[in-house]
Amino acid sequence: MFCYQCEQTAKGQGCTIQGVCGKPPEVAALQDLLTYALKGLAVVAAEAGKQGTVDREVGRFASRALFSTLTNVDFDPQRFPPMITKAVELREELKAKLPGVAFPQDAANFQPGESLEVMVEQAKDYPLAPAEGERADIIALQHTTLFGLRGLAAYADHAAILGQEDDAVYAYIYEALAAMVNDELDLNGWVGMTLKCGEVNLKAMELLDAGNTGTYGHPEPTAVPLGHKAGKAILVSGHDLMDLELLLEQSKDKGIYVYTHGEMLPTHAYPKLKAYEHFYGHYGTAWQNQGKEFPEFPGAILMTTNCIQKPKGDTTEKIFTTGLVGWPGVPHIAGQGRDKDFSPVIDKALELPGFPSDEDKGSVLCGFGRNAVMGVADKVIEAVKGGAIKHFFLVAGCDGAKPGRNYYTEFVEKTPADTVVLTLACGKFRFFDKQLGDIGGIPRLLDVGQCNDAYSAIQIAVALAGAFGVGVNDLPLSMVLSWYEQKACAILLTLLHLGIKDIRLGPSLPAFITPNVLQVLVDNFNIMPITTPDEDLKAILGEA
Ligand code: SF4
Ligand code: SF3
């Protein structure tokens, strides 16, 4: 196997024996073959689009299939062969609608083997490995685009579940994958295609924002308890709001309290979700701590999206997956959209002991989405103009297990008292419970939401820039980002598409970027690696 799509890739180069994430070679192979099959589907779908044939089922399928290959989503080999076969079926159905059009590309004619084992063998011909020599930079940009697409597809899938779709998003997925097959673009062409991934991802995140806020209302500043109530318990992790809603609806009046884990924390701020009285609090921290935190949870656990890890201890007995998440042997709640029955999760929670007594562990504030922040924009602008707020930091992105990630905790702790920290995504668990105080009633730590809410943070930045009559790059705002998986790649590409400069990125730079590609990013966007919190703070605040 070879996989280098995430930040924890082995030796900073690539996982070759087994994924550091736990992905076995068999799953890596099937994901490579699925990617190849999707490229073939995309060649035909792109041509169909040009001729006016648009089939949203194909777009939804392609999004789900790409999302399945994202880090820490699906580790179950059995789930991939049906997707590979389906990609080829959809491809042939589309071809039938295009009589007279020739598709000579191998990917557009590929036939999958009849068994999982044969498919694993077939995949050996289609590895996603870096190239050497003059092809190295083009392949690096193709892979950057592919990994960005996987993130974009995750957002498009979340949005589609909530009824928000745009054919332009699906059209770009086909365009980019087909370009990898046709391989006609030069280096500049691939730089453009990569940045376009960021542009289209902004659209996908906008759709998701419309889906989330349109269905559940705009997040409101909300104090979320970190303790628990005596009683049966269900823990929900991942990013999918509709799964959470369905579970809340199906588990009400049963003596069960529902808690969030990881990226589900910000869901407490949505009016239609917080209206459920048994939606109580937040348990634990970020995804990489589930090995310790899940065995200690005395109830059932539901994983709605990434990041799942190998269940440890008694977790195997009480964990469930749904949507695109999969782990071999872990029961899966099937169904799509509103058609899901969470009774097995609820029954398991009723079987398990739950928490024996109430415990108060304080609370954290969340819910500072664009609507809430813009609601106090006058106050914020006044505080900046009057000198009470000197600088904003967006300290955002993914968490992970590496010790270097303590940088983000230390960075936030060391930000001066006249600065405000905006945060989003699971990286916030490095500092989410720090008491940073407030500036004239404006909390110094503002949780914008999930990684999915990067759109909201961008809107806040754009609104502030508008209020001050400057560009986003001229605002007293610095972005200090942490990345781990491919949704972070997509968001980073969006920021670059918007022309945002001086981003600090860590804890390490992507393995799939070549020195030349990095130089393009440095020359055009002045992107830079993080150093130490002290040095970076000094440089940002002009005291270097
Ligand atoms: Fe390795 Fe990351 Fe790929 Fe997992 S997703 S196999 S950790 S590079
Ligand atoms: Fe986290 Fe997996 Fe990236 Fe949503 S849950 S941000 S890592």
Side-chain angles (χ1 to χ4, degrees):
M1 70 175 277
F2 184 85
C3 182
Y4 65 164
Q5 66 171 345
C6 83
E7 196 272 338
Q8 70 178 3
T9 195
K11 298 182 186 146
Q13 293 174 341
C15 297
T16 53
I17 299 165
Q18 152 112 12
V20 175
C21 59
K23 181 158 78 178
E26 189 183 39
V27 171
L30 293 165
Q31 291 184 347
D32 286 351
L33 196 66
L34 177 58
T35 303
Y36 184 67
L38 288 172
K39 287 178 181 171
L41 171 61
V43 167
V44 181
E47 182 59 32
K50 279 185 208 155
Q51 303 207 15
T53 302
V54 174
D55 182 340
R56 284 200 167 170
E57 196 207 334
V58 175
R60 283 176 213 140
F61 168 77
S63 303
R64 287 199 298 272
L66 283 165
F67 192 1
S68 301
T69 63
L70 193 123
T71 299
N72 291 348
V73 172
D74 194 351
F75 293 83
D76 187 350
Q78 300 298 337
R79 298 262 292 272
F80 289 95
M83 279 192 277
I84 294 166
T85 310
K86 172 96 175 166
V88 172
E89 276 169 18
L90 288 172
R91 184 193 77 199
E92 292 306 308
E93 281 169 27
L94 274 181
K95 271 188 193 170
K97 293 180 187 162
L98 301 167
V101 184
F103 293 101
Q105 302 91 334
D106 287 347
N109 294 287
F110 149 81
Q111 289 300 327
E114 287 191 354
S115 69
L116 185 149
E117 292 72 23
V118 177
M119 290 190 196
V120 168
E121 270 308 300
Q122 278 181 313
K124 289 184 180 152
D125 292 335
Y126 314 110
L128 284 180
E132 294 191 344
E134 58 184 29
R135 295 274 298 152
D137 297 330
I138 284 198
I139 294 298
L141 286 167
Q142 287 189 6
H143 288 177
T144 307
T145 305
L146 175 65
F147 301 148
L149 267 185
R150 290 176 174 175
L152 179 164
Y155 294 135
D157 177 56
H158 280 297
I161 288 170
L162 294 166
Q164 296 287 334
E165 290 176 274
D166 187 324
D167 291 329
V169 172
Y170 298 144
Y172 173 73
I173 293 176
Y174 310 146
E175 179 193 357
L177 288 173
M180 293 170 205
V181 175
N182 295 327
D183 209 10
E184 288 163 346
L185 296 180
D186 62 9
L187 202 62
N188 274 341
W190 274 108
V191 170
M193 187 64 87
T194 307
L195 290 178
K196 190 169 173 188
C197 186
E199 180 185 351
V200 179
N201 184 54
L202 182 62
K203 180 79 214 163
M205 287 195 301
E206 184 186 355
L207 291 170
L208 177 54
D209 180 277
N212 282 341
T213 58
T215 314
Y216 302 108
H218 277 280
E220 303 165 342
T222 303
V224 183
L226 296 175
H228 48 254
K229 297 285 263 183
K232 305 287 182 184
I234 296 177
L235 187 61
V236 187
S237 191
H239 304 74
D240 197 293
L241 270 58
M242 190 186 279
D243 284 335
L244 174 64
E245 181 209 343
L246 296 175
L247 180 79
L248 285 168
E249 185 58 34
Q250 293 174 25
S251 62
K252 68 182 181 189
D253 304 326
K254 288 188 159 51
I256 296 172
Y257 285 103
V258 174
Y259 301 82
T260 52
H261 188 266
E263 279 281 73
M264 277 293 181
L265 165 63
T267 59
H268 286 278
Y270 285 88
K272 287 208 176 139
L273 297 174
K274 69 196 259 191
Y276 286 92
E277 280 176 14
H278 66 306
F279 187 28
Y280 181 66
H282 184 79
Y283 171 89
T285 51
W287 66 272
Q288 77 280 359
N289 299 324
Q290 64 191 264
K292 177 173 181 298
E293 293 169 354
F294 285 3
E296 289 168 5
F297 187 77
I301 300 168
L302 176 67
M303 303 298 295
T304 66
T305 60
N306 52 313
C307 283
I308 190 170
Q309 290 182 296
K310 183 175 190 246
K312 288 198 183 140
D314 76 345
T315 306
T316 344
E317 309 297 318
K318 61 191 186 192
I319 190 168
F320 297 80
T321 59
T322 191
L324 296 168
V325 200
W327 193 279
V330 167
H332 187 74
I333 307 296
Q336 273 182 24
R338 297 201 162 269
D339 174 29
K340 284 190 183 181
D341 177 4
F342 287 109
S343 320
V345 183
I346 293 161
D347 292 347
K348 179 56 76 177
L350 293 173
E351 224 177 80
L352 291 165
F355 288 106
S357 55
D358 290 0
E359 191 178 352
D360 182 1
K361 291 185 178 172
S363 62
V364 288
L365 264 183
C366 69
F368 293 94
R370 61 191 166 90
N371 208 51
V373 175
M374 278 146 93
V376 291
D378 288 356
K379 229 168 146 184
V380 173
I381 291 162
E382 210 177 288
V384 176
K385 288 192 172 154
I389 297 178
K390 292 263 166 41
H391 206 87
F392 296 91
F393 298 98
L394 177 68
V395 185
C398 307
D399 207 349
K402 282 192 182 169
R405 288 181 183 267
N406 289 338
Y407 166 95
Y408 297 94
T409 319
E410 213 185 301
F411 185 94
V412 168
E413 279 171 348
K414 289 184 167 169
T415 52
D418 53 5
T419 61
V420 169
V421 177
L422 293 152
T423 191
L424 56 87
C426 64
K428 70 168 147 275
F429 290 106
R430 296 269 161 181
F431 47 80
F432 80 129
D433 51 357
K434 300 264 172 252
Q435 302 302 325
L436 297 191
D438 66 283
I439 299 176
I442 303 162
R444 284 197 53 229
L445 182 60
L446 298 172
D447 181 1
V448 182
Q450 299 180 334
C451 58
N452 300 15
D453 298 308
Y455 175 77
S456 208
I458 289 168
Q459 293 307 308
I460 291 169
V462 169
L464 282 178
F468 289 108
V470 298
V472 172
N473 284 318
D474 303 316
L475 280 175
L477 165 71
S478 304
M479 302 198 185
V480 183
L481 307 182
S482 53
W483 83 285
Y484 170 66
E485 34 81 335
Q486 299 76 52
K487 286 192 274 180
C489 298
I491 294 169
L492 187 62
L493 293 177
T494 296
L495 296 174
L496 300 183
H497 150 73
L498 291 170
I500 310 283
K501 296 198 166 143
D502 305 329
I503 293 171
R504 285 176 166 77
L505 182 65
S508 61
L509 295 178
F512 49 85
I513 297 280
T514 55
N516 286 340
V517 171
L518 180 61
Q519 201 54 50
V520 171
L521 298 180
V522 172
D523 291 347
N524 290 288
F525 303 103
N526 197 30
I527 195 164
M528 58 195 106
I530 56 169
T531 61
T532 66
D534 287 320
E535 270 183 50
D536 287 349
L537 274 167
K538 266 193 206 161
I540 290 168
L541 299 172
E543 296 156 21

